[in-house]
Amino acid sequence: MTRGNPMIDEEDQEQPKVLLVDDDEVTLLLTSIALRERGFAVTETTSGERALRLLGDWLPDVVVLDAVMPGLDGFATCQELRNMPGHESIPVLMLTGLDDDASITRAYEAGATDFFVKSTQWSLLAGRLRYLLRSARTRIELERSKAKLARAQDLARMGSFDWHKGASDLGMSVEGLRVFGMGANDRVGLRQILRMMPADERVSFQYLLHEVWRHGSVLCLDVKIHLHDGRQRIVHLEAEPEFNEHANLIGYTGIVQDVTDRRLAEDQIKHLANFDTLTSLPNRRQLFQRSERAIEHARRLHHGVALLQVGLDRFKIINENLGHHAGDELLIEVAHRLRNCVRHFDEMLEGHLDLQSTRSHRNLEAVGRLGADEFVVLLPEVSDPDEAIATAHRILDALRAPLTIGGQECFVTASIGVAVYPAHGVNAADLLRHADVAMDLAKSQGRNMAQMYDTHLASKGRVRLDLDTALHKALERQELVLYYQPKVDVRTHRMVGVEALMRWQRGDQLVSPADFIPLAEATGLINEMSLWAITEAARQAKQWQIQFGFDASIAVNLPSRLFEQDDLVERIEQILCREAISPRALELEITETGLMKDLQGVVPSLTRLNQIGVEISIDDFGTGYSSLAYLTSLPISELKIDRSFVRDLGETPQSSAIVSAIIALARALGLRVIAEGVETTEQMNVLYSLGCHICQGFLFARPMPAAQIATWLSDVLNADGLPRVSESLTLPPVSTLS
C-alpha cells in the first residue's frame, strides 16, 4: 500500500520515505537536513494531529516521532497510528530527550518499534533508521512466506503439529485443526484423535505409537477418522523425533494431511488395474500375482495349487445372435455362478508372507476373468488333483442351468482345463499356459467337460507351434514343392491329366499335407500357397509341352476361402498370360463341401473362370450336401468320386450303388467322371463296369516329382506296364464319358 504525496519530489521516489514529527522547528529543520544528506526523502510536520492527517492517505517507509509535544504527544500519536488500517506494521522510531526506563517502556507499550535519544549524532540516527527499514522488510517477507505457506497448506489440506513428552495436547496449527474438522480455538489431543478412529483400528494404532516412541523412529502412516459432522476422512500422519542436547527423545514434530481424495483416486486406479470392469472379478494381472503368492505359500507348506481355465462353449453364438449387450449380461451371470462355486475373496492381503498367518493364503482363492469368454479359478490349497477336478465338475453343473439373457432363455456350457502345482509347473506362467492347453483339448474332445493337463499335450503343442513358425517361412525359403499324380484312361492306357499335390520339403523331411494344410488354412497362409501352386503348375505345363508334347491339364486344388479375393480371376489370367499357356492346360478342383459353404460367393468366380477356358472339377464328390438343382447350373466339367466310396468297391453293395448313382448323374449332366484312390485291380474293374474309365491312385502311380513324370511315361505307358481291365468285361466305346 503506497499512496503518493504532493509534498515529495518525484526524484526521491527510490529513497526511503520518512515522516518526521517534532514541535521544535529548529530541531525539525536540523534533523530533516541531516537525514536528506544521508539519502532519505523526508516529510516534516510539527504536530501529532497533522501527522495523522497526512497518514490518512499516505504510507511512508518509517515514522520518526518526538515523544514530548503539545496536544497529541508522540506516545498518543503512535497509539492512534497503530489503530489506522494498513499502518499496523509500519516502523516507528520514538525520539526522546528522556532516558528513564519508564519512558522507554511507555514507548514500546504505545506501539513504537524502537527509540532513540535526541542528539546531534545524525549518522547514528540514520543507521538506526536503516536498521528499522531492513528489519521491516525482513518481517514483511516472513509474513508473506507464512501467508503463502498457510495458503499452500490450506489448499493441500495440510497442517503442522508438535508434541512434547508429558503434554496432553498437540500443538496443532490452524490448518491442522481444519484437517480434523475443528476451529482455530479448539484444542486436540491424542485421546481425542483415538476416539475419532474406527474402534477396530485403535489398538493397532496405539501399539504402533508405542513402538515408534520406544525406538525413536519416524512415524508415517494413513489413518481413517470420523469427523464430528459424520464425514469419513483419511488423514496422513508424518512426524520426526526431536532430541535434547543429551540425545534424549523429548517429542515429535510433523504434519497432518487430508488425503481422502487422493486415496480414493488411488483406490480407483488400483481397482481398474486389478479388476475387470464388466464383471468386477480380478483380472489377469491380479490373478498372476495371487497365483505367484499361492505358489510361494505352497512351496513353504508343502501342498498343491490348482488353476482351472474355464472357456465358454457357446458364447460366440449368443453374442452374435442376441448382441453384445446380451453377451455382457451372460458374462456377468457366469461370473456370479463361478463365484458361488468357490470361496471367492475380492481383496488380496498385502504384506510379506512372514507377517501373515500360516493359513492366510486361503484368502487368495478367487475367480478371475482373463478376457473375452475365458475365466480362471485359483485354488490356493489342494491336497491332490482330484480336488481340482471335483471343483471343475461343480462349475460344469452350475453352468448347465438355463439362464435368461435379453428375454431369451438359453444354455451355456464350458470346457475346463486343469493344471496343478508342482506336477504341471512351478510358476504361475507355466500353470496358466498348461491349463490353457488342457482347456483346448477339452474343446476338441466335444466340449462341456474338464480335462487335466497331460505332459504329452505340451510336446504336441510345441511341435504345432514350431510347425506354424516354420510354415510362415516355407514360401520365402522355397521349401514348398509340387508332386504330380497321373490320371489314366484305362481303356486307352493313356495319361489324360495329372493332379498337382503340394508337399513341404522341410530340410531332409517331406512333410505330409495332412500335417500342414490344416495349419495353413487356420493361419490364412493357404491362399498365398494356393496361388503359388497355380503358378508352379502353369510353369510345369509349359515345360512338359516343350519336353514331350504334354497336351492334357494339370489339376490344382483351390480352398473355398480363396474365392473371397475379388481379384482371383484376374490373378489367374495374369499367371496364364505370363507362362504363355492355354487355359485348358489348367484345371481347378474345389471340394464339394467348400463349394456348398459359400455357394453364392463362389459361383460368380467359377463362371468367369469357365468363360476364359479354365475347367472346374468338383473334388470329393458325394461327401458333402450338394443341391442337385445347383449342379445343373454350375459351370463345372468334372465330378471326382471320393476315395471313401472307391475303397469299399467290390466289398459292400452300398459303395457300388453310390458310385453307380454318381456316374449316372455325371452322364445325365454331360460331365466327365473320375475316381480317385484306386489301389486294387478289383476296384478298377468295378469302376470300369459301372462306366467310369478315368482313374487315379496308387494302382497306377504314386505322386512323384515333376522330373519323374517323363521317366514314368517312358517306363510304364510306352512299355505297356499298366494294370489292365479284365478281358471278361465288355469294353464300351472309347468316346463314352471321355
Side-chain angles (χ1 to χ4, degrees):
M1 171 179 169
T2 303
R3 292 186 286 269
N5 183 0
M7 300 177 67
I8 301 176
D9 259 14
E10 291 182 2
E11 63 183 16
D12 293 330
Q13 288 295 319
E14 299 302 322
Q15 296 175 317
K17 297 181 289 294
V18 178
L19 175 62
L20 182 61
V21 185
D22 197 323
D23 65 311
D24 186 340
E25 294 186 2
V26 175
T27 302
L28 183 66
L29 178 61
L30 293 174
T31 305
S32 176
I33 292 171
L35 291 179
R36 285 194 177 98
E37 289 175 349
R38 287 164 177 78
F40 292 90
V42 181
T43 300
E44 308 107 352
T45 185
T46 57
S47 69
E49 292 84 357
R50 291 176 182 176
L52 293 177
R53 284 197 294 272
L54 280 174
L55 292 172
D57 31 283
W58 176 53
L59 184 64
D61 294 317
V62 64
V63 176
V64 180
L65 287 172
D66 183 15
V68 179
M69 293 185 296
L72 205 63
D73 64 9
F75 303 108
T77 302
C78 186
Q79 286 179 327
E80 291 290 333
L81 181 152
R82 290 301 184 208
N83 293 326
M84 296 175 65
H87 295 72
E88 300 88 347
S89 302
I90 187 172
V92 176
L93 180 68
M94 192 76 72
L95 292 177
T96 178
L98 308 174
D99 56 358
D100 58 288
D101 292 342
S103 296
I104 295 172
T105 302
R106 187 182 174 193
Y108 284 125
E109 288 177 349
T113 310
D114 204 350
F115 74 95
F116 189 80
V117 178
K118 283 185 178 182
S119 70
T120 57
Q121 296 178 338
W122 309 118
S123 295
L124 289 178
L125 175 60
R128 183 64 61 87
L129 289 176
R130 294 189 188 281
Y131 172 77
L132 288 180
L133 289 169
R134 186 166 58 249
S135 298
R137 284 194 296 269
T138 302
R139 179 181 46 76
I140 291 171
E141 290 300 321
L142 179 60
E143 288 178 352
R144 287 176 180 171
S145 296
K146 287 177 64 178
K148 289 180 180 178
L149 177 61
R151 178 58 178 162
Q153 288 181 343
D154 196 37
L155 291 173
R157 298 179 183 177
M158 178 189 295
S160 59
F161 73 91
D162 57 67
W163 175 80
H164 292 91
K165 187 177 181 180
S168 59
D169 292 336
L170 297 172
M172 189 80 67
S173 68
V174 174
E175 292 80 10
L177 290 169
R178 288 200 195 103
V179 169
F180 290 96
M182 299 178 182
N185 297 321
D186 290 336
R187 302 167 66 88
V188 61
L190 284 175
R191 292 184 181 278
Q192 191 173 356
I193 292 176
L194 280 170
R195 285 194 294 269
M196 298 172 74
M197 295 174 59
D200 57 345
E201 296 185 10
R202 292 173 190 167
V203 174
S204 59
F205 181 67
Q206 286 178 294
Y207 174 77
L208 179 62
L209 289 181
H210 175 76
E211 289 298 302
V212 166
W213 175 263
R214 188 163 69 90
H215 294 96
S217 55
V218 172
L219 173 68
C220 184
L221 80 160
D222 293 348
V223 296
K224 296 177 182 177
I225 61 171
H226 295 272
L227 302 185
H228 298 306
D229 59 8
R231 289 181 298 156
Q232 296 183 7
R233 311 300 291 173
I234 300 174
V235 175
H236 176 71
L237 299 177
E238 194 167 328
E240 293 185 347
E242 289 187 336
F243 301 92
N244 61 15
E245 63 275 12
H246 303 295
N248 295 323
L249 180 63
I250 59 172
Y252 274 84
T253 181
I255 58 101
V256 292
Q257 183 179 14
D258 185 339
V259 294
T260 308
D261 294 340
R262 189 191 74 193
R263 280 288 301 273
L264 290 175
E266 289 174 352
D267 290 345
Q268 179 66 16
I269 293 170
K270 184 178 179 182
H271 188 273
L272 291 173
N274 289 282
F275 290 86
D276 174 56
T277 54
L278 177 65
T279 62
S280 296
L281 293 177
N283 60 13
R284 178 187 291 271
R285 179 177 180 271
Q286 190 185 152
L287 278 170
F288 194 89
Q289 293 176 348
R290 288 185 184 228
S291 301
E292 287 291 356
R293 185 170 292 183
I295 290 171
E296 190 172 346
H297 272 291
R299 192 178 291 116
R300 294 168 60 242
L301 302 177
H302 308 292
H303 58 70
V305 175
L307 276 181
L308 285 64
Q309 185 155 335
V310 183
L312 302 184
D313 294 331
R314 304 182 67 249
F315 175 72
K316 186 176 180 182
I317 297 174
I318 294 173
N319 208 34
E320 289 179 350
N321 288 278
L322 299 182
H324 293 291
H325 180 71
D328 289 346
E329 283 187 47
L330 172 65
L331 292 172
I332 293 171
E333 175 60 25
V334 167
H336 176 70
R337 294 188 183 187
L338 292 177
R339 289 179 59 151
N340 290 337
C341 293
V342 298
R343 298 188 301 269
H344 176 85
F345 292 88
D346 282 320
E347 297 300 326
M348 179 173 63
L349 293 179
E350 301 292 343
H352 193 271
L353 293 171
D354 294 338
L355 300 178
Q356 301 175 16
S357 70
T358 56
R359 294 300 174 191
S360 64
H361 63 277
R362 291 178 178 173
N363 292 336
L364 298 171
E365 185 167 330
V367 176
R369 186 183 177 205
L370 284 185
D373 58 348
E374 291 186 354
F375 299 83
V376 169
V377 177
L378 168 63
L379 304 179
E381 182 178 351
V382 293
S383 55
D384 58 67
D386 290 341
E387 233 181 283
I389 290 294
T391 301
H393 288 151
R394 189 161 62 247
I395 290 172
L396 292 175
D397 291 339
L399 293 178
R400 285 192 184 101
L403 57 154
T404 302
I405 301 297
Q408 172 78 38
E409 185 179 62
C410 54
F411 294 84
V412 65
T413 59
S415 300
I416 303 177
V418 182
V420 179
Y421 166 86
H424 303 145
V426 294
N427 56 53
D430 287 344
L431 288 184
L432 200 58
R433 185 173 66 254
H434 294 162
D436 184 52
V437 171
M439 183 191 71
D440 287 343
L441 180 63
K443 286 183 178 292
S444 67
Q445 291 184 346
R447 305 176 185 270
N448 193 24
M449 62 180 296
Q451 175 68 47
M452 182 69 71
Y453 174 74
D454 187 342
T455 52
H456 296 297
L457 298 176
S459 60
K460 289 181 180 178
R462 281 192 291 271
V463 169
R464 179 181 174 86
L465 179 61
D466 178 54
L467 200 65
D468 183 15
T469 304
L471 185 58
H472 276 77
K473 299 179 181 179
L475 269 173
E476 66 178 71
R477 292 176 178 173
Q478 299 182 345
E479 293 177 347
L480 294 179
V481 295
L482 289 183
Y483 273 41
Y484 299 90
Q485 188 174 34
K487 301 176 182 179
V488 177
D489 189 332
V490 298
R491 298 169 304 172
T492 62
H493 301 92
R494 291 179 61 248
M495 184 178 74
V496 293
V498 294
E499 180 180 3
L501 301 167
M502 201 179 301
R503 298 290 186 268
W504 180 11
Q505 188 67 52
R506 190 183 178 195
D508 297 333
Q509 178 189 8
L510 191 67
V511 183
S512 168
D515 292 331
F516 72 86
I517 292 297
L519 188 60
E521 291 176 341
T523 58
L525 284 174
I526 192 65
N527 286 357
E528 186 179 358
M529 292 165 61
S530 298
L531 289 171
W532 168 85
I534 294 172
T535 304
E536 183 64 18
R539 187 194 62 79
Q540 191 59 59
K542 182 66 174 179
Q543 186 176 337
W544 282 342
Q545 286 177 9
I546 299 171
Q547 186 178 357
F548 55 81
F550 178 77
D551 61 353
S553 63
I554 299 179
V556 180
N557 291 282
L558 285 192
S560 59
R561 65 185 302 171
L562 189 61
F563 287 92
E564 296 173 4
Q565 297 189 2
D566 296 334
D567 62 344
L568 174 62
V569 178
E570 287 75 12
R571 296 185 70 172
I572 292 176
E573 279 188 292
Q574 290 172 5
I575 293 170
L576 294 172
C577 223
R578 188 169 58 248
E579 301 300 333
I581 63 167
S582 167
R584 293 293 176 187
L586 187 66
E587 183 180 34
L588 301 179
E589 293 186 0
I590 181 170
T591 63
E592 182 182 16
T593 304
L595 175 68
M596 299 308 297
K597 186 183 298 183
D598 183 22
L599 191 61
Q600 297 299 326
V602 171
V603 168
S605 295
L606 292 182
T607 302
R608 292 175 60 197
L609 287 169
N610 184 257
Q611 289 171 350
I612 66 174
V614 177
E615 292 193 333
I616 307 298
S617 173
I618 303 299
D619 197 10
D620 301 337
F621 191 79
T623 60
Y625 303 93
S626 296
S627 167
L628 296 183
Y630 280 120
L631 283 179
T632 59
S633 58
L634 285 174
I636 57 178
S637 305
E638 180 181 272
L639 295 182
K640 203 167 188 180
I641 303 172
D642 187 67
R643 65 181 66 247
S644 61
F645 302 126
V646 174
R647 183 177 56 246
D648 296 331
L649 283 177
E651 297 180 8
T652 62
Q654 293 88 350
S655 294
S656 297
I658 292 173
V659 171
S660 178
I662 293 173
I663 294 171
L665 177 63
R667 181 181 291 115
L669 296 176
L671 305 175
R672 291 193 309 273
V673 64
I674 178 174
E676 62 179 349
V678 181
E679 298 182 358
T680 67
T681 304
E682 184 177 7
Q683 292 169 351
M684 178 186 65
N685 287 333
V686 174
L687 286 167
Y688 182 80
S689 64
L690 293 175
C692 178
H693 312 129
I694 302 176
C695 298
Q696 176 186 344
F698 290 174
L699 179 63
F700 308 98
R702 291 179 175 273
M704 64 189 80
Q708 295 181 15
I709 288 291
T711 305
W712 178 82
L713 285 170
S714 175
D715 294 346
V716 177
L717 288 183
N718 296 340
D720 203 16
L722 289 175
R724 291 188 171 273
V725 177
S726 173
E727 295 181 358
S728 61
L729 297 174
T730 303
L731 295 177
V734 173
S735 61
T736 306
L737 295 177
S738 59

